[in-house]
Amino acid sequence: MANLLEQYLLASVLTAILTFFLAVLVSWKNYRRKLNILYSFWACTVALWSLMLVFNVLAKDHGTALLCVRLLHFWAILLPAVYVHFVLLFLCKDAAFNALIKGTYAFSFLLIALNFSPWFLSVEYREKFRFFAAKPLAFYPIHIAMFIACVCFAIIQLYLSWRKAEGSFKRQIWYFLLATLIGYSGGITNYLINYNILIYPLYPFGNFTICAYVIVIGFGILKYQLMDISVIIKRTVVFTGLFGILMAVVGIVTTLAHNYLGQFIGIGQTTRQILSILIAMLLADPIRKLLVNLTDRFLFQKKYNYHKLLKDASRGMSNIESLEHLLGLVVHFVTMKMRVKNASVLMRDIHSSDFNLVYQRGYDKKFLSLTLNDEDPLIDYIGHHKEAVDIERIKEKIEAARYGRKDKKEADHWDYEAIRDRMIYLQATCCVPSFLGRELKNILMLGEKKSGEHYSTEDLNLLYTLAQESAIAIENARLYDEAKRRSLDLEQINDQLERSRGLLERALNEAEGANKQLQDAQAQLIHEQKMATLGRLAASVGHEVNNPLTILSMNVSRAILKYRKDPDLKVSEIMDVFDKMEKNIERIKAVVNTLTGLLKKSEKGKFEPLSLKLILEETLPLVQFQTYLDNLSGTEVDFNVPGNIPLIRGDLERLQEVFLNMFINAYHAMAGKRHRKIAVRAEIDQENQGMVAIHFTDNGCGMTEEVRKKIFNYGFTTKPSGKGSGLGLYMCKYIIELHGGTVLVKSRLGEGTTFTLTLPVYGEDFKISS
């Protein structure tokens, strides 16, 4: 039994030492953080409970044992309430269970008060265990029930949160859950002693499970930065090693000084001690540096290596001019030296606010092309916070928000789930921004580490520093590439300009030749047109002049014949012959005047005798010229203007305008017809012998009665928009009526239209003599 008691004492002492060390370790890292403070307080509670347990076992009398037992139970009663509070705070559920936490503390303080009453416990000597143990009284079972209920509640909450959690937070919960199961399953065996129950090996080895709790939590700290205290380990190792070595140095120097220097030099003991301290002080800093390097190399070897290489890379970035080469260097160092599965770089487009994937390594083909705008939740979050983003920390914020616990420093509008989903889609575990001034320029996206480790705070700070150092180098490289690209573009533009210049010169030469050919063709066409016009004029003039000349010749012959028969013939006897000769001379004169009016611009507004046939025949070429683009050539035109049609009185230019409009309307009315014919007929008006009627008849589409009534209205047209002004027929009617004539129209839909114009004869008493 003595060996069992010694083992029980050893387990209690180790529990006290290890839990106290754990409390110091956790509070040292962040003594202002509520979670660390609460966990340190709980660990101190366990340490003090274990310490009181040791004093209880070592107590030799009843009074001392009773005091130790009551102090032991003081911490035992407080322990489950503190642990429940810590677990709920760790899981971000303290706000939801605030009333339960307060109730648990209140009930614990009530039990503590009962603990010092005569109804809770007493002590008696246990022969089985060979020390004074607690003897439960009336209210003691309430404490046991509360202890078990709190532990079970904490385990259930840890399990439920573990099932829903993600990433490193899930692993942290797992280590706490495992440690809780191990630690409390052994610690609760101490209550069997109070009921005088000895079950081997629960006694004395049950308390060793509390030591195992500390070991599991310590492994979680090393592996998954549990409560972010891994850096403390390195400092602890350095401090312990430094202290041990310094003590050893002082001891060795003191011994050597005492044994040798004192004998040969004759210095006193005080002088030897001062000399030992001075030597230790001189060796302190070199030993500290040596320990730091050894700790980095052997405990944190992987971090030391890639940190050094990344710093070397940042120093060499300024010497690289090519952007692609620079990005390749950064991504290569990160993926190869940090052992990252994949990495890529997003760069802001200089012409927009979009971020484009410009370099990548280790990604699937679907990421060969990727663009994110500045309103993307991930881009917006990075640009606002100006720090590296780790997906594990984002998941922790999701957990905090899920259980109603939000960081007061954070704005409420961040959609952390959208940020997490975007990072998962991009296969990015860590995103490191790069700023130039205040503007976000680049984002380095890193995948998971091949080792399975997570990015520590030190990693994120180092990567952020590297990203800021690379911002200027990347911008310089981008400007260099842009200048190089523009130089190549300018060279290509110059080459294109030279080629275009040659082509332009050749085109100008060809155009000059074509222009000369066109001018020659136009001259030939004008010459042919003139000859054709002269031919028509000659025929028309010959016809118009021939008739009055024939009559004039006949009258001259009659006058000569009468004179030969009667030399004494008086002029009055042949005056009628002279009158006829005078009228025929007037007709020839009118024909000549019409001809000269056609060949030169007449005086507008001047009414004079005109030859109707000449005007109509000379209007036709103008019609053919104006309708050439409408592809209405090939229309048959039938002129029927008898030679005995008297001269008309009118304005040459205005009448040509009217006749031109009549021809063009007829052409347009026949558009689309295979056989097109225009008939122009002139005659003495049957109803008024002093008027000449001119009929323009086409075989076009005709018009309805409703349209016929409107065709002379101002602005009315049946042509499509842009092709008709609605002024043509309106002006024709106005001009004819100005001459004292009329315009009539007859039409049948689908058969054709006839316009009849009447114009006054020049001299109403004019009669053609045969």
Side-chain angles (χ1 to χ4, degrees), residues 629-640:
L629 294 177
D630 294 328
N631 197 21
L632 292 173
S633 59
T635 302
E636 180 184 354
V637 180
D638 181 19
F639 276 105
N640 184 10

Side-chain angles (χ1 to χ4, degrees), residues 507-549:
L508 288 174
N509 292 332
E510 292 176 355
E512 187 176 355
N515 187 39
K516 189 174 181 307
Q517 292 178 359
L518 180 61
Q519 289 177 352
D520 293 341
Q522 286 178 341
Q524 180 66 25
L525 183 61
I526 291 170
H527 175 71
E528 293 177 356
Q529 186 69 27
K530 284 181 177 179
M531 296 304 294
T533 301
L534 289 174
R536 287 196 303 272
L537 281 174
S540 298
V541 171
H543 182 271
E544 286 291 298
V545 174
N546 188 50
N547 285 341
L549 280 177

Side-chain angles (χ1 to χ4, degrees), residues 547-557 581 584-585 588:
N547 285 341
L549 280 177
T550 302
I551 297 173
L552 182 60
S553 177
M554 290 173 58
N555 287 325
V556 170
S557 298
M581 291 171 63
N584 283 282
I585 291 172
I588 293 172

Side-chain angles (χ1 to χ4, degrees), residues 96-146:
F97 291 95
N98 186 45
L100 176 65
I101 294 171
K102 291 180 180 178
T104 305
Y105 277 119
F107 196 72
S108 298
F109 290 132
L110 177 62
L111 289 177
I112 288 172
L114 291 173
N115 178 41
F116 292 94
S117 71
W119 304 289
F120 191 77
L121 58 78
S122 64
V123 292
E124 64 179 8
Y125 188 78
R126 308 288 189 186
E127 287 293 340
K128 293 181 181 179
F129 304 100
R130 303 184 64 181
F131 65 87
F132 286 96
K135 179 182 179 181
L137 298 179
F139 293 107
Y140 193 83
I142 300 175
H143 160 60
I144 297 177
M146 177 189 173

Side-chain angles (χ1 to χ4, degrees), residues 653-711:
E653 262 192 56
R654 291 197 171 187
L655 289 180
Q656 257 194 322
E657 181 182 342
V658 172
F659 297 154
L660 178 64
N661 200 283
M662 289 290 123
F663 277 115
I664 291 175
N665 282 345
Y667 273 120
H668 289 167
M670 297 182 295
K673 282 221 162 198
R674 187 172 183 182
H675 176 66
R676 301 184 294 272
K677 182 178 179 181
I678 299 176
V680 182
R681 183 169 58 88
E683 61 179 359
I684 300 297
D685 191 4
Q686 301 296 324
E687 298 179 358
N688 186 354
Q689 295 294 319
M691 304 293 284
V692 174
I694 307 102
H695 307 283
F696 291 87
T697 304
D698 64 71
N699 63 341
C701 59
M703 66 184 78
T704 63
E705 183 64 21
E706 183 180 358
V707 173
R708 188 188 68 80
K709 293 178 179 179
K710 299 179 181 178
I711 57 173

Side-chain angles (χ1 to χ4, degrees), residues 246 249-250 253 261 274-284 287:
L246 288 177
V249 169
V250 172
V253 171
L261 294 177
I274 293 172
L275 181 62
S276 301
I277 294 172
L278 290 175
I279 294 173
M281 290 174 64
L282 292 174
L283 294 176
I287 293 173

Side-chain angles (χ1 to χ4, degrees), residues 216-275:
V216 172
I217 293 298
F219 181 78
I221 291 171
L222 285 171
K223 183 70 175 175
Y224 294 107
Q225 294 84 44
L226 200 61
M227 289 187 290
D228 200 18
I229 60 174
S230 61
V231 178
I232 297 299
I233 296 174
K234 184 173 78 173
R235 295 178 180 174
T236 304
V237 172
V238 174
F239 176 78
T240 305
L242 180 62
F243 181 78
I245 292 174
L246 288 177
M247 291 299 101
V249 169
V250 172
I252 293 171
V253 171
T254 302
T255 302
L256 291 175
H258 178 75
N259 294 332
Y260 298 102
L261 294 177
Q263 296 177 4
F264 294 104
I265 300 176
I267 59 176
Q269 182 178 358
T270 304
T271 305
R272 291 196 298 267
Q273 291 176 351
I274 293 172
L275 181 62

Side-chain angles (χ1 to χ4, degrees), residues 26-186:
V26 172
S27 61
W28 189 5
K29 172 61 179 175
N30 194 345
Y31 62 88
R32 295 181 179 178
R33 189 182 181 195
K34 184 178 180 181
L35 183 67
N36 292 47
I37 294 173
L38 191 59
Y39 186 79
S40 298
F41 179 69
W42 174 85
C44 288
T45 302
V46 177
L48 291 170
W49 169 82
S50 299
L51 187 63
M52 290 298 104
L53 185 60
V54 172
F55 291 155
N56 176 39
V57 173
L58 297 176
K60 299 301 182 181
D61 57 79
H62 183 274
T64 303
L66 180 61
L67 177 61
C68 291
V69 166
R70 284 180 172 172
L71 291 176
L72 180 154
H73 278 82
F74 174 86
W75 299 112
I77 293 170
L78 193 59
L79 191 149
V82 175
Y83 195 70
V84 167
H85 187 186
F86 163 75
V87 168
L88 293 175
L89 183 65
F90 175 70
L91 299 177
C92 302
K93 294 183 178 180
D94 54 318
F97 291 95
N98 186 45
L100 176 65
I101 294 171
K102 291 180 180 178
T104 305
Y105 277 119
F107 196 72
S108 298
F109 290 132
L110 177 62
L111 289 177
I112 288 172
L114 291 173
N115 178 41
F116 292 94
S117 71
W119 304 289
F120 191 77
L121 58 78
S122 64
V123 292
E124 64 179 8
Y125 188 78
R126 308 288 189 186
E127 287 293 340
K128 293 181 181 179
F129 304 100
R130 303 184 64 181
F131 65 87
F132 286 96
K135 179 182 179 181
L137 298 179
F139 293 107
Y140 193 83
I142 300 175
H143 160 60
I144 297 177
M146 177 189 173
F147 188 96
I148 295 173
C150 288
V151 172
C152 292
F153 177 78
I155 291 173
I156 291 171
Q157 291 300 320
L158 286 169
Y159 174 73
L160 294 176
S161 298
W162 173 78
R163 292 187 61 183
K164 296 179 180 179
E166 297 178 350
S168 62
F169 188 58
K170 186 181 184 74
R171 298 183 184 94
Q172 291 176 1
I173 294 175
W174 165 249
Y175 278 101
F176 270 117
L177 178 61
L178 180 63
T180 302
L181 289 171
I182 294 174
Y184 279 99
S185 62

